[in-house]
Amino acid sequence: MSQWKQIQQLDMKFLEQVDYFYDDNFPMELRQVLANWIESQDWETATNHEAMATVLFNNFLIQLERQCTQEQNFLHRHNLKRIFHQIQLRYKANPQHLSAVISNCLREERRIISAASMQEQGPLEKSMQNSAALEKQKNLDNRVAVIRSSVQLLDQAVKHLEDMQDDFDFRYKTLQLRDPVERNSQNMKQEVMALQEILNRLDYKRKEILSKMADVIKEIDALVASQLMPELQEWKRRQQIACIGGPVLTGLDQLQNWFTMTAQSLFQIKRQLDKLDELIVKVTYESDPIPLQRPQMEEQVKYLIYHLIKSSFVVEKQPCMPTHPQKPLIIKTQVQFTTKVRLLVKLPEVDYQLKVKTTFDKDLPSGKVTRQFFIPTNNTKVMDVEESSNGCLSVEFRHLQLKEKKCMSGAKGNEGPLTVTEELHSLSFEAMLCLQGLDIDLETCSLPLVVISNVSQLPAGWASVMWYNLLTDEPKNLAFFSNPPRASWSQLSEVLSWQFSSFAGRGLNKEQLSMLGDKLLGQHASYNDCQVSWSKFCKENIPGKSFSFWLWLDSILELIKKHLLPVWIDGYIMGFVSKEMERALLKDREPGTFLLRFSESHLGGITFTWVEQESGEAKFISVEPYTKNRLSALPIADIIRDYKVIADGIVPENPLKFLYPDIPKDEAFGKHYNSQPNRVCPYIPTILIPISLNTTPPPCSSPEPPLSPEMSHMLSEHISAYEIESVMSSL
């Protein structure tokens, strides 16, 4: 089943996550009409190869144009043509950007499919998607709507007050124009009494409006403090979790709606207060409530507007290198990175040039880090109205770079207690907004960044990003790694599973996580309460090995991503299983039953073990791990199909029959076989075969690399070249 068909069969809560990342950059209509073709292309590789990206871009346009001509529905054809021209204009100058966008969409789809297939969600993911949060959002919707309605009623009340005052003003001025001789007449006295009655009603109405206005301002203040700001903080926390592979980030459009409606209510109240100020110019009197109460209320409204808009300036997309879209917050010097900021308050008055300036390490205390950086490119851009985000103001910096400042003393590198990847930095954004007499200095900053100078530092840098964003929600704790806190295994295991669902399209189950827990912590009855130190996770070597736990795990992720992805997604790699458990699983199985697991002794290696019966006893045979160099020459599915063991005087045979527990080998891996024998071609076919040589069977045999020079020499001692070619040709 295609990936897109799997997506369409998901529950609504997962489909909403899919809806989030399909926008004008890559409309979902294109994903639908070109589903199979899109999934058959290597977008990820094209992200880093301009020539390949250009070819894919041109082929993409050809495929889309073909769909336009074949579409029978007039409206659909019209929309596809419109999208065709948009895509052509948007990516013509940078085809790699399209490859990156599509690659990211496909990756997020795999992550969502993996999350949907998991039997249980972890505690972090549950906290992001619980029903109580949905109930809070509904309550916030209602409160914002009630406030908006109350402000509209106040508008009508102020208008009515203005009409009453105009009536009073007209009567009063008319009375003043009367002949002084008539002032003591009975008729005049009645008019004065009527005028006094209007003034009393006017005074009552003014007090009533001010009282209601104070109540609304108080309600807005409470709304902002008790719900709106906490919702913003929760969104920022969800953004942190999304950065390290957690659930897709949603909710910013909803936040913008709440911020905008609240700001509109405040600006409307400010205009009402201005109107009241105009009214007292015409009519005022002793104990008039407007001059007594209005100034304080106006200051309160200005304060709320200032802090609401200031808080609405957020980093929508954290800094990220396009070459590593799944590892944000890591920046390599002299490599372009992108970031995006957004103003959540949408007001017509703001639709003008608002310049945003970026600064690197603006508030970094001196002496905290040994390396200093600067942005050599243009660091100022103007915010624009973005149609795809409900008309919000935003700006995306796409071509930022970092350069390291040369120290005057000539010293370079990290000389302090922290490693390069433990040094944290920040990117600040500043703008000045002048709005309705208010000067609002906007400022926000990215989450802490790790700056590297070599891609070899990427795994350690990503470990720092994960550890920080897992354990703290402080945006500016740049000294975090001076004394990093411990993580509970329940927290860490969930994040590790996210790495596999995000990078490799399939998360880890309980059994796989249990094996990782054994490897990191030793065997425990319960891991959830165990605490893991930063040093044990990333810095200390595994006992008896020359690498750390995280470096070992990251090398496996890279191996899956580049060489094992389809088989991993299908769930045919057990992966994380100890040798003891491996034997327990295979012991009572049919001869030739095998399983795939990752090597514990090699970085980025995968091996398979099968069981044979010898004199009524189970015999377990494992091969030397296959690493990226071998798998680049021969895919794992083809290795399993063609694997042979050669023993003294015995014709080579494939001992692999069933994938654990009892799946026929070809049924499991058949669709992933790359090379099929050509029965039509008149030539005798030849194929590359992985062979294990077993002249004197030891307890555990190991293969040499397929057809290496050493293998050829060893084979020639037992079998002639003609016999080898004949055997291979007959397979």
Side-chain angles (χ1 to χ4, degrees):
M1 184 185 299
S2 72
Q3 185 170 304
W4 187 241
K5 285 185 178 179
Q6 293 179 62
I7 286 289
Q8 291 172 311
Q9 294 177 5
L10 297 178
D11 291 340
M12 184 54 66
K13 67 176 182 178
F14 295 108
L15 290 176
E16 287 175 354
Q17 295 181 32
V18 175
D19 182 60
Y20 173 74
F21 54 80
Y22 281 106
D23 53 22
D24 286 354
N25 287 321
F26 186 56
M28 194 179 291
E29 293 94 325
L30 298 185
R31 183 67 178 95
Q32 172 71 26
V33 299
L34 298 177
N36 293 330
W37 183 83
I38 286 172
E39 291 177 30
S40 66
Q41 309 304 311
D42 188 358
W43 299 102
E44 186 162 353
T45 301
T47 299
N48 300 315
H49 295 83
E50 185 177 356
M52 182 178 178
T54 302
V55 171
L56 272 181
F57 174 66
N58 291 330
N59 289 342
F60 181 87
L61 293 179
I62 292 171
Q63 294 289 331
L64 183 53
E65 190 173 30
R66 185 176 299 159
Q67 285 293 326
C68 290
T69 57
Q70 294 175 354
E71 179 59 56
Q72 299 299 314
N73 184 290
F74 174 76
L75 180 59
H76 291 169
R77 185 165 65 250
H78 170 78
N79 289 335
L80 286 177
K81 286 181 178 179
R82 176 178 53 81
I83 293 171
F84 175 90
H85 292 299
Q86 289 176 349
I87 294 294
Q88 191 175 37
L89 289 173
R90 188 184 294 267
Y91 298 110
K92 186 176 182 180
N94 188 7
Q96 285 176 274
H97 186 46
L98 175 66
S99 297
V101 168
I102 297 178
S103 175
N104 187 57
C105 288
L106 294 174
R107 194 181 303 115
E108 286 299 327
E109 285 179 8
R110 290 196 297 269
R111 194 201 65 77
I112 291 171
I113 292 171
S114 173
S117 67
M118 298 298 284
Q119 294 179 352
E120 286 188 32
Q121 292 179 318
L124 276 171
E125 191 155 352
K126 283 181 180 177
S127 69
M128 301 288 153
Q129 300 175 353
N130 57 36
S131 57
L134 295 174
E135 196 61 36
K136 281 196 305 180
Q137 291 176 5
K138 289 180 181 178
N139 178 262
L140 190 47
D141 275 334
N142 292 334
R143 286 187 72 179
V144 169
V146 168
I147 288 172
R148 196 83 186 105
S149 178
S150 299
V151 173
Q152 299 290 359
L153 292 174
L154 276 174
D155 244 11
Q156 298 175 20
V158 170
K159 178 62 178 172
H160 180 60
L161 177 65
E162 185 179 15
D163 292 340
M164 284 180 62
Q165 180 169 305
D166 287 344
D167 181 49
F168 172 84
D169 188 46
F170 176 77
R171 288 169 179 261
Y172 179 74
K173 289 179 178 178
T174 301
L175 194 62
Q176 283 185 317
L177 294 174
R178 298 282 290 273
D179 192 333
V181 178
E182 300 179 15
R183 289 185 178 177
N184 293 326
S185 66
Q186 189 65 28
N187 189 32
M188 177 69 81
K189 289 179 180 180
Q190 289 178 352
E191 289 187 26
V192 170
M193 288 178 64
L195 201 59
Q196 183 62 48
E197 183 63 28
I198 294 174
L199 184 60
N200 291 341
R201 292 203 305 272
L202 197 64
D203 180 65
Y204 175 81
K205 197 67 178 175
R206 285 185 174 186
K207 290 177 180 177
E208 182 184 46
I209 287 174
L210 288 169
S211 176
K212 289 181 178 179
M213 201 173 285
D215 289 341
V216 174
I217 294 172
K218 185 178 179 181
E219 175 65 15
I220 292 176
D221 193 6
L223 171 77
V224 171
S226 66
Q227 284 190 277
L228 205 51
M229 291 305 160
E231 280 291 333
L232 178 60
Q233 292 307 312
E234 286 181 21
W235 178 85
K236 289 181 177 180
R237 181 58 182 156
R238 292 198 301 272
Q239 185 184 50
Q240 283 187 275
I241 296 302
C243 280
I244 57 175
V248 177
L249 182 63
T250 59
L252 195 58
D253 287 343
Q254 181 64 73
L255 262 178
Q256 178 179 304
N257 185 49
W258 291 329
F259 267 83
T260 296
M261 290 185 70
T262 304
Q264 287 173 342
S265 296
L266 285 168
F267 277 112
Q268 200 164 350
I269 293 173
K270 184 176 180 296
R271 288 193 294 271
Q272 292 165 0
L273 288 169
D274 291 341
K275 174 57 71 174
L276 293 180
D277 193 38
E278 293 176 11
L279 293 182
I280 62 174
V281 173
K282 295 181 179 179
V283 176
T284 189
Y285 46 88
E286 189 177 348
S287 70
D288 186 349
I290 293 178
L292 293 175
Q293 299 179 37
R294 180 190 166 279
Q296 183 180 356
M297 294 171 68
E298 184 179 38
E299 285 303 311
Q300 193 174 4
V301 169
K302 285 182 178 179
Y303 174 85
L304 287 171
I305 290 173
Y306 179 87
H307 284 280
L308 184 71
I309 293 181
K310 193 174 176 67
S311 301
S312 75
F313 192 51
V314 299
V315 181
E316 181 179 355
K317 294 180 181 177
Q318 294 292 335
C320 181
M321 296 185 292
T323 52
H324 295 84
Q326 288 178 287
K327 291 185 176 178
L329 305 175
I330 300 178
I331 307 301
K332 184 178 179 295
T333 52
Q334 300 188 31
V335 172
Q336 287 188 356
F337 64 94
T338 65
T339 185
K340 182 179 181 180
V341 291
R342 177 167 167 179
L343 191 66
L344 298 180
V345 174
K346 174 189 170 187
L347 294 171
E349 297 92 335
V350 186
D351 294 349
Y352 67 97
Q353 293 217 342
L354 183 62
K355 292 183 179 179
V356 178
K357 178 184 177 182
T358 61
T359 308
F360 198 78
D361 279 346
K362 178 190 173 193
D363 301 318
L364 189 68
S366 59
K368 289 294 182 182
V369 298
T370 58
R371 302 178 302 155
Q372 296 183 1
F373 304 90
F374 67 98
I375 300 173
T377 51
N378 181 22
N379 64 339
T380 302
K381 285 191 74 174
V382 176
M383 298 189 89
D384 293 319
V385 176
E386 187 175 323
E387 295 180 4
S388 62
S389 297
N390 300 322
C392 74
L393 271 176
S394 65
V395 59
E396 185 169 11
F397 294 87
R398 294 183 178 177
H399 306 290
L400 295 177
Q401 284 188 25
L402 288 183
K403 278 193 174 182
E404 186 171 357
K405 293 181 181 179
K406 293 184 178 179
C407 300
M408 297 300 294
S409 62
K412 193 174 182 180
N414 191 303
E415 300 172 357
L418 300 180
T419 64
V420 165
T421 53
E422 291 173 323
E423 280 188 1
L424 299 179
H425 305 263
S426 70
L427 185 65
S428 302
F429 305 88
E430 299 171 283
M432 176 59 71
L433 174 62
C434 301
L435 184 65
Q436 295 191 11
L438 295 174
D439 292 335
I440 305 173
D441 54 319
L442 302 173
E443 184 173 355
T444 190
C445 68
S446 69
L447 290 168
L449 305 170
V450 174
V451 181
I452 62 175
S453 56
N454 192 293
V455 290
S456 64
Q457 298 166 329
L458 198 61
W462 185 239
S464 296
V465 170
M466 286 193 297
W467 205 262
Y468 183 96
N469 290 287
L470 170 64
L471 297 177
T472 182
D473 57 4
E474 298 179 54
K476 295 184 179 181
N477 186 7
L478 302 184
F480 177 83
F481 284 104
S482 296
N483 185 24
R486 291 171 175 263
S488 70
W489 175 248
S490 62
Q491 291 175 306
L492 184 58
S493 61
E494 186 174 5
V495 175
L496 294 181
S497 181
W498 287 345
Q499 304 314 299
F500 283 84
S501 61
S502 178
F503 284 85
R506 187 182 185 88
L508 303 179
N509 57 35
K510 285 184 177 181
E511 291 74 21
Q512 291 168 324
L513 289 172
S514 178
M515 184 272 180
L516 292 180
D518 284 345
K519 192 167 186 65
L520 185 60
L521 300 165
Q523 292 188 349
H524 287 268
S526 174
Y527 295 102
N528 288 342
D529 298 329
C530 292
Q531 298 289 311
V532 183
S533 70
W534 164 244
S535 181
K536 191 173 186 65
F537 173 70
C538 182
K539 302 179 77 172
E540 298 174 5
N541 286 344
I542 297 172
K545 303 294 186 296
S546 60
F547 44 82
S548 67
F549 172 84
W550 169 246
L551 194 60
W552 170 73
L553 199 62
D554 183 74
S555 69
I556 290 172
L557 275 166
E558 284 297 311
L559 189 73
I560 293 173
K561 182 180 173 183
K562 294 180 178 178
H563 302 289
L564 306 172
L565 194 59
V567 179
W568 172 261
I569 290 174
D570 284 349
Y572 293 143
I573 298 177
M574 188 171 292
F576 299 103
V577 55
S578 65
K579 292 179 181 178
E580 294 75 14
M581 179 58 70
E582 175 185 68
R583 297 193 172 201
L585 293 173
L586 293 175
K587 182 178 180 182
D588 299 323
R589 294 292 165 180
E590 289 288 325
T593 301
F594 67 98
L595 58 78
L596 296 160
R597 66 174 176 85
F598 298 116
S599 170
E600 296 182 62
S601 57
H602 290 66
L603 282 178
I606 187 170
T607 182
F608 47 82
T609 299
W610 71 91
V611 63
E612 292 181 355
Q613 295 295 329
E614 192 172 280
S615 302
E617 292 186 3
K619 177 183 176 184
F620 308 95
I621 305 172
S622 300
V623 299
E624 182 182 341
Y626 289 90
T627 58
K628 61 181 180 181
N629 293 332
R630 292 182 175 186
L631 294 173
S632 296
L634 200 59
I636 189 67
D638 287 0
I639 288 174
I640 291 169
R641 180 191 63 186
D642 300 326
Y643 183 76
K644 298 288 186 293
V645 174
I646 299 179
D648 286 336
I650 300 176
V651 176
E653 65 174 24
N654 191 332
L656 309 178
K657 308 298 182 185
F658 304 99
L659 177 67
Y660 179 87
D662 54 7
I663 307 173
K665 174 184 62 180
D666 291 338
E667 181 181 321
F669 300 99
K671 66 179 180 180
H672 302 301
Y673 294 157
N674 275 349
S675 54
Q676 296 291 342
N678 188 344
R679 301 303 180 190
V680 178
C681 179
Y683 297 106
I684 298 175
T686 59
I687 56 175
L688 188 64
I689 300 177
I691 299 175
S692 287
L693 187 65
N694 189 7
T695 53
T696 306
C700 179
S701 62
S702 299
E704 294 297 322
L707 298 186
S708 64
E710 294 83 0
M711 172 60 72
S712 299
H713 175 71
M714 295 176 72
L715 284 176
S716 64
E717 293 180 356
H718 301 277
I719 306 174
S720 70
Y722 175 80
E723 289 174 321
I724 294 175
E725 184 67 17
S726 299
V727 168
M728 291 185 178
S729 300
S730 64
L731 296 174

